[in-house]
């Protein structure tokens, strides 16, 4: 079949490039999602901080919150492709002709963009935690910071994992827009293979299949991790209720989930 | 005269223009168990929440060993000395029973892990929860959760524990296990403020009963006086309504 022939020709000639493009796509998506998660956690925590009593701190908080809001609105409200152009060419313009190194620039753009979405996800995650969790912590004197660190954020992380996984999968696909500034990710090489070989359909078919395999396997892996994090459904009983002298052991080991 | 632990003077609390606590004067002495009764909406929870500063009073003052809790004490250290047990347990969902009883000790009191664990185990044993130290809250029954919550409060070595309807969210067969823990605690000399609808507990365990009505303390006295010989019309009405239902 001629199509198979075309595909095989494209792959033989451009396969190495395409594979390196896959690596860059995966690298930029993973790094972008993780850094975006850190940005989102940071912003989300700040945005849900209780209002300080001190009037100066209060004013500072108001400004900081305004900046975070503006950041979220701007980066959620404009296409990442345009953001990439603005950041890349803006830097070149302002620095008098220097250009950003491409992979780090790509990671930065994806991180900032993802951070805007995850900020909202985290804020929603924190707000949806029952008031009782905060009050339980307050009632024993825990500070807001300790409460966040030990009680709230661990619960938020588990709750937002599906949404963050989704951002990751979106990033795998959306890194393709970075080709506009010349980042050598998967789409960039598929495009160049198409241009050079004139086998346009075959080239993009390869890219399409690879994108699908990436997102499909990653979705499965993340599902598996989510399941794991749901924790074990059972626990071990130590000592004995009837026999008070029975040895009491405290176990630290994690047991496998009883599926 | 035993030492006063908490003294409340002219306490007021309003939510917007809803005056919930109108003028509360109250004090509790070391080792005393006081039951607070009254119909729903009379301000009982709000009173306890003000004492623990979960709500900020809008008037009056609350003294802890003579010091104003809002102006003279560090909120965090004060709260560590005054435990609270909630109707809805409010255990930390991401931590197991043991960790629930450790986290406050390490983060607020600065105890080291080993000492905190030993203390947590001690109190979990007191409430009969030793076998379940590794269970997460969602794996426990209501009565078990409330016993862990009591152990969590106790592990901070508080001087006073506030109970806000600790058995109201429990299935009837679990009420007893929690009340018996509270009874033992009261007998061991803990200072306790207990908002409750368990009249048997109020009558048999507490040293004093306070009847709250419409944001005021309407009547207070020994259980025998309040239950046996109520002076105020409101108290009589409340008790007859309550005992006839
Ligand atoms: N956070 C709040 N905001 C506004 N109103 C409140 C709040 N908490 C309690 N109230 C009001 O205060 C009144 C007394 O409530 P509460 O102290 O819970 O009564 P009780 O515990 O005796 O049933 C109720 O009318 C309730 O609606
Ligand atoms: Mg109440």
């Amino acid at each position: 079949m001629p199509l198979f022939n075309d595909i095989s020709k494209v792959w033989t000639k451009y396969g190495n490039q395409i594979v390196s493009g896959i690596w860059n796509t995966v690298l930029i998506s993973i790094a972008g999602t993780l850094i975006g998660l850190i940005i989102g956690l940071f912003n989300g925590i700040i945005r849900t901080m209780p209002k300080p009593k001190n009037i100066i701190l209060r004013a500072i908080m108001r400004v900081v919150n305004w900046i975070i809001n503006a950041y979220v609105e701007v980066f959620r409200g404009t296409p990442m492709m345009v953001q990439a152009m603005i950041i890349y060419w803006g830097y070149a313009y302002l620095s008098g002709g220097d250009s950003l190194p491409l992979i780090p620039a790509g990671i930065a753009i994806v991180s900032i963009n993802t951070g805007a979405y995850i900020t909202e996800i985290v804020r929603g995650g924190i707000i949806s935690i029952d008031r009782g969790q905060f009050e339980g912590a307050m009632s024993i004197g825990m500070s807001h910071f300790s409460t966040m660190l030990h009680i709230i954020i661990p619960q938020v992380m588990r709750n937002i994992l599906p949404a963050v996984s989704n951002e990751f999968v979106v990033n795998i696909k959306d890194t393709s827009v970075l080709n506009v500034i010349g980042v050598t990710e998967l789409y960039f090489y598929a495009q160049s293979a198409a241009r050079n070989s004139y086998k346009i359909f075959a080239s993009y078919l390869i890219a399409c299949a690879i994108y699908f395999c990436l997102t499909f396997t990653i979705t499965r892996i993340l599902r598996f991790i989510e399941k794991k994090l749901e924790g074990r459904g059972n626990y071990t009983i130590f000592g004995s209720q009837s026999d008070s002298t029975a040895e009491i052991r405290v176990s630290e080991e994690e047991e496998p989930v009883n599926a | 005269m035993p030492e006063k632990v908490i003294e409340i003077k002219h306490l007021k609390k309003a939510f917007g223009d809803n005056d919930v606590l109108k003028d509360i004067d109250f004090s509790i002495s070391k080792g005393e168990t006081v039951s607070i009764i009254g119909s729903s909406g009379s301000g009982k929870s709000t009173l306890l929440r003000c004492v623990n500063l979960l709500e900020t009073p809008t008037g009056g003052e609350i003294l802890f060993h003579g010091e104003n809790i809002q102006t003279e004490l560090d909120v965090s250290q004060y709260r560590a000395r005054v435990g609270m047990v909630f109707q809805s347990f409010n255990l930390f969902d991401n931590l197991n029973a043991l960790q629930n009883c450790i986290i406050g000790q390490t983060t607020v009191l600065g105890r080291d892990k080993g000492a905190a664990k030993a203390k947590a185990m001690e109190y979990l044993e007191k409430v009969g929860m030793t076998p379940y130290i590794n269970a997460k809250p969602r794996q426990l029954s209501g009565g078990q959760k409330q016993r862990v919550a009591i152990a969590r409060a106790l592990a901070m070595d508080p001087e006073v524990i506030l109970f806000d309807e600790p058995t109201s969210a429990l299935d009837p067969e679990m009420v007893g296990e929690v009340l018996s823990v509270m009874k033992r605690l009261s007998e061991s000399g803990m200072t306790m403020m207990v908002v409750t609808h368990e009249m048997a507990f109020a009558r048999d365990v507490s040293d004093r009963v306070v009847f709250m009505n419409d944001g005021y303390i309407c009547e207070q006295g020994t259980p025998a006086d309040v239950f046996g010989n109520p002076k105020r019309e409101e108290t009589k009405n409340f008790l007859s309504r309550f005992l006839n239902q």
Side-chain angles (χ1 to χ4, degrees):
Chain A
M1 217 173 112
L3 181 58
F4 282 126
N5 216 352
D6 284 358
I7 289 173
S8 128
K9 272 190 189 147
V10 171
W11 185 255
T12 319
K13 194 141 182 234
Y14 302 99
N16 284 345
Q17 279 191 347
I18 291 176
V19 168
S20 78
I22 296 176
W23 284 124
N24 284 340
T25 289
V26 171
L27 171 72
I28 294 170
S29 313
I30 290 182
T33 309
L34 286 179
I35 299 172
L37 177 60
I38 292 167
I39 296 173
L41 279 172
F42 184 81
N43 288 345
I45 288 170
I46 290 188
R47 271 178 72 167
T48 53
M49 261 175 18
K51 276 197 190 133
K53 291 222 168 75
N54 182 311
I55 206 151
I56 296 168
L57 284 180
R58 226 175 156 122
I60 294 174
M61 276 298 297
R62 194 170 280 170
V63 173
V64 170
N65 273 322
W66 188 88
I67 293 171
I68 293 173
N69 271 333
Y71 159 72
V72 169
E73 295 298 335
V74 168
F75 281 86
R76 290 205 314 180
T78 54
M80 191 160 80
M81 193 188 282
V82 178
Q83 293 164 15
M85 292 300 248
I86 300 257
I87 289 174
Y88 186 79
W89 292 108
Y91 180 84
Y93 180 80
L94 294 174
S95 68
D98 287 353
S99 56
L100 286 166
L102 285 171
I103 300 286
I107 292 174
I109 290 157
V110 175
S111 303
I112 295 171
N113 188 276
T114 308
Y117 283 92
I118 296 187
T119 297
E120 284 298 282
I121 294 172
V122 171
R123 192 173 74 101
I126 293 173
I127 290 173
S128 69
I129 298 285
D130 184 55
R131 278 289 318 152
Q133 297 290 302
F134 290 91
E135 293 193 346
M138 275 196 256
S139 76
I140 52 175
M142 287 175 73
S143 64
H144 180 74
F145 179 79
S146 281
T147 307
M148 278 298 185
L149 183 67
H150 298 286
I151 312 297
I152 306 301
I153 294 303
Q155 296 183 43
V156 168
M157 288 298 278
R158 233 176 64 178
N159 293 347
I160 68 173
L161 193 66
V164 173
S165 302
N166 187 48
E167 285 300 311
F168 180 36
V169 171
V170 166
N171 282 341
I172 294 266
K173 297 184 290 177
D174 285 3
T175 43
S176 59
V177 307
L178 296 174
N179 84 87
V180 295
I181 56 169
V183 177
T184 53
E185 39 65 56
L186 175 56
Y187 181 84
F188 180 90
Y189 282 126
Q191 194 179 39
S192 101
R195 279 186 187 146
N196 294 328
S197 67
Y198 298 109
K199 299 188 194 327
I200 300 170
F201 181 42
S203 299
Y204 286 116
L205 212 50
I206 291 174
C208 183
I210 295 172
Y211 275 119
F212 181 73
C213 288
L214 281 177
T215 54
F216 187 80
T217 39
I218 285 166
T219 308
R220 298 295 117 159
I221 293 170
L222 291 172
R223 284 263 165 78
F224 179 76
I225 295 175
E226 278 162 31
K227 271 248 168 73
K228 273 251 120 123
L229 277 181
E230 267 164 33
R232 30 186 191 154
N234 59 342
Y235 55 91
T236 325
I237 292 197
F238 293 95
S240 159
Q241 265 184 312
S242 44
D243 175 8
S244 59
T245 60
E247 191 194 356
I248 292 152
R249 289 174 298 126
V250 183
S251 166
E252 229 84 276
E253 95 240 35
E254 288 290 306
E255 296 195 351
V257 185
N258 262 15
Chain B
M1 187 70 191
E3 182 188 353
K4 278 184 180 146
V5 182
I6 289 175
E7 217 173 335
I8 298 173
K9 295 179 175 169
H10 301 296
L11 176 67
K12 294 180 183 68
K13 174 67 185 176
F15 294 103
D17 50 15
N18 180 9
D19 293 325
V20 174
L21 298 179
K22 291 168 184 165
D23 187 11
I24 302 281
D25 276 306
F26 173 86
S27 65
I28 185 165
S29 308
K30 204 167 167 47
E32 211 183 0
T33 295
V34 175
S35 289
I36 300 169
I37 60 172
S39 42
S40 170
S42 57
K44 307 180 297 297
S45 297
T46 305
L47 173 60
L48 284 199
R49 292 168 62 82
C50 283
V51 172
N52 204 359
L53 289 179
L54 289 176
E55 303 290 356
T56 311
T58 43
E61 55 179 10
I62 301 174
L63 307 178
F64 183 65
H65 293 294
E67 290 184 294
N68 187 308
I69 62 172
Q70 286 178 278
T71 55
E72 292 178 88
L73 293 174
D74 173 68
V75 177
S76 179
Q77 292 305 316
Y78 164 70
R79 281 187 179 139
R81 317 231 31 76
V82 178
M84 177 122 179
V85 174
F86 301 86
Q87 180 176 349
S88 50
F89 325 118
N90 295 354
L91 288 178
F92 306 130
D93 290 337
N94 59 319
L95 302 180
N96 66 27
L98 181 61
Q99 293 162 334
N100 259 282
C101 299
I102 289 177
I103 189 76
Q105 298 185 62
T106 52
T107 59
V108 181
L109 303 178
R111 286 186 184 144
D112 72 75
K113 266 244 158 80
K117 194 171 191 169
K119 181 133 279 184
M121 292 300 293
E122 179 191 332
Y123 285 113
L124 282 164
E125 186 178 6
K126 277 212 172 121
V127 299
M129 285 301 291
T130 306
Y132 302 95
I133 52 174
N134 280 339
K136 292 273 176 72
R138 68 190 154 88
Q139 297 166 320
L140 297 172
S141 73
Q144 292 171 331
K145 278 189 232 186
Q146 200 57 297
R147 286 188 280 149
V148 173
I150 293 172
R152 175 177 73 178
L154 286 170
M156 304 296 286
D157 291 322
E159 286 183 52
V160 186
I161 302 188
L162 316 171
F163 293 83
D164 190 4
E165 298 195 34
T167 58
S168 295
L170 301 181
D171 291 336
E173 69 265 33
M174 291 167 188
V175 170
E177 65 190 62
V178 172
L179 289 181
S180 76
V181 166
M182 289 169 59
K183 182 161 186 280
R184 264 183 286 141
L185 203 55
S186 169
E187 286 161 357
S188 75
M190 176 58 74
T191 310
M192 295 163 53
M193 273 175 84
V194 185
V195 170
T196 187
H197 290 303
E198 294 292 331
M199 293 303 153
F201 179 91
R203 191 187 56 222
D204 301 337
V205 180
S206 46
D207 302 300
R208 178 155 51 107
V209 176
V210 169
F211 171 64
M212 273 186 75
N213 188 44
D214 195 25
Y216 294 101
I217 289 180
C218 180
E219 177 164 2
Q220 58 177 317
T222 63
D225 283 344
V226 174
F227 288 113
N229 184 22
K231 301 206 166 37
R232 301 281 299 257
E233 215 43 49
E234 295 89 336
T235 319
K236 286 178 197 164
N237 284 339
F238 171 77
L239 288 174
S240 69
R241 249 186 303 132
F242 213 88
L243 301 175
N244 288 338
Q245 69 186 354

